[in-house]
Amino acid sequence: MHASCQCGKLNAEIADGANAMTVLCHCRDCQKRSGSPFGIMAYFPEESFSIAGEAREFTRLTDQGNQFTNGFCPDCGSTLYGRASKYPGIIGITVGTICDPAFPRPHRSVYEQSRHHWIALPEDMPRHMRGRDS
């Protein structure tokens, strides 16, 4: 599986058969990062992918006091990956950079407290008002 930024200078290759845990997040930080009402990342073990190209990173504190780092292309600004200090050894690839409409739907929805009221999700999707521990 391949992911790339908008200009194509930052890329990720994900190993065939790598299992993802895909999370749809409605937190205000993901809204600002993505420029949309939510962000979606597919989390993989770090050993299942490689990144090529120059990335810049931005690290912020989470509401639980952990750190979340976004990796983005310095030329086009597209976020390609995210890394949570709470989960070492796992990295998230932004689903939009995978550009595959057949990519499976998210496993869960988090930070529903700031979900836009017009976003309709499948009834059977697990939902959490804050993070998955909420």
Side-chain angles (χ1 to χ4, degrees), residues 50-110:
S50 62
I51 294 177
E54 180 185 355
R56 292 230 175 104
E57 293 187 342
F58 173 75
T59 300
R60 65 174 172 80
L61 289 176
T62 68
D63 63 348
Q64 297 175 351
N66 297 301
Q67 292 184 336
F68 194 89
T69 300
N70 293 305
F72 60 94
C73 175
D75 290 324
C76 69
S78 300
T79 300
L80 186 77
Y81 63 87
R83 186 178 292 121
S85 65
K86 184 176 181 178
Y87 302 108
I90 297 172
I91 193 164
I93 301 295
T94 52
V95 172
T97 62
I98 296 170
C99 295
D100 180 359
F103 194 84
R105 78 176 203 189
H107 291 89
R108 65 177 161 265
S109 175
V110 298

Side-chain angles (χ1 to χ4, degrees), residues 2-129:
H2 179 79
S4 67
C5 67
Q6 195 169 5
C7 71
K9 293 180 181 175
L10 181 60
N11 297 274
E13 292 297 330
I14 303 149
D16 290 339
N19 290 322
M21 171 55 68
T22 306
V23 179
L24 182 135
C25 183
H26 305 275
C27 80
R28 303 265 189 239
D29 289 314
C30 280
Q31 290 175 6
K32 289 179 181 182
R33 175 193 56 77
S34 69
S36 73
F38 49 80
I40 304 175
M41 287 204 182
Y43 290 92
F44 296 92
E46 281 189 358
E47 65 272 5
S48 66
F49 71 91
S50 62
I51 294 177
E54 180 185 355
R56 292 230 175 104
E57 293 187 342
F58 173 75
T59 300
R60 65 174 172 80
L61 289 176
T62 68
D63 63 348
Q64 297 175 351
N66 297 301
Q67 292 184 336
F68 194 89
T69 300
N70 293 305
F72 60 94
C73 175
D75 290 324
C76 69
S78 300
T79 300
L80 186 77
Y81 63 87
R83 186 178 292 121
S85 65
K86 184 176 181 178
Y87 302 108
I90 297 172
I91 193 164
I93 301 295
T94 52
V95 172
T97 62
I98 296 170
C99 295
D100 180 359
F103 194 84
R105 78 176 203 189
H107 291 89
R108 65 177 161 265
S109 175
V110 298
Y111 286 89
E112 291 265 324
Q113 66 188 17
S114 46
R115 178 173 56 90
H116 289 231
H117 69 90
W118 47 267
I119 302 289
L121 299 173
E123 292 294 322
D124 63 342
M125 181 179 286
R127 299 175 184 195
H128 305 275
M129 287 306 289

